[in-house]
Amino acid sequence: MLRCAVVLLLPLLLQWTRCFFCPIKTRRPVKSACRAGGLINKLRAKGNRAKPELLQVDPALASSALPPGSTAPELKARIHALLEGRPELLERMSTASDLHISAMTPDDAQDLADLQEEWFPKESCRGGAPWCAGLLAHEGVLAFKATLPEDETSAPVGIVVALSNKAAIEEFGGEATVDILRSELTIPKYIPWDSPDRRELGYVLSLGIVGELRRRGLGNALLQRSLAELRSAAKASNTFLGEQKDTALRAVALHLADYNRVARACYEQAGFEMIKDT
């Protein structure tokens, strides 16, 4: 049975996140998450830091991955200007099936960096376009973008980035993430993870949709595409001395910020469940 677990590019905020794990075929009830606001306020008081200004962006466009009370991000991804100038593109798009999903390349690094800065806390946007270019060039990274069918510029409206092997998880997931995956998944679930090219465990590093196109099933479509590609990558690597090995994708992991209830509901609907409160 393939099992999944979950993280949304918050490696520096692990003290505020929860680790999820879900059987895809057999879904189990998940306990509700407790509020993270109290912990965040205590950390601010301890560090003698003032509470940032509340978000000033349109709530429909604001990302649920941003911490409560965070400063409004600049919406600089090029898709926003495109939709403002050509609103008919939105009118012709009703469901995720109307969009085109394709693989990302290092040429998409600036688009990825701009979207990450809109969706996630500054602490988790580690190196802008240069870092994203290195990420997209890594052989263990599976990244996909969704674009509008009539957009000749191919401006992304949504992206998903998954890590398909241990080497990629160690390089881009961070040491704390690796420790949690080892203690909560690979060791207790007997998942082979003893070499850099191991693909039995996958990791969703980032998933996001621009505000103008949320609640149309695009996030789930991108998630399912990443899971399918992780399965294929695991099967393609399962050879030893020219012979096929009896191994496959065993788990997919990610972390989700405690306060991100919107994303949590989406993942639970897809079959995810929490395995650790970190």
Side-chain angles (χ1 to χ4, degrees), residues 126 131 138 163-179 181-182 193-198 201 203 205:
R126 289 178 271 184
W131 186 86
H138 195 284
L163 310 180
S164 68
N165 62 21
K166 183 183 180 184
I169 295 173
E170 289 181 329
E171 181 168 350
F172 301 108
E175 182 177 350
T177 294
V178 171
D179 290 342
L181 295 180
R182 182 178 289 112
W193 218 43
D194 55 352
S195 63
D197 61 344
R198 280 292 191 181
L201 174 63
Y203 189 81
L205 184 66

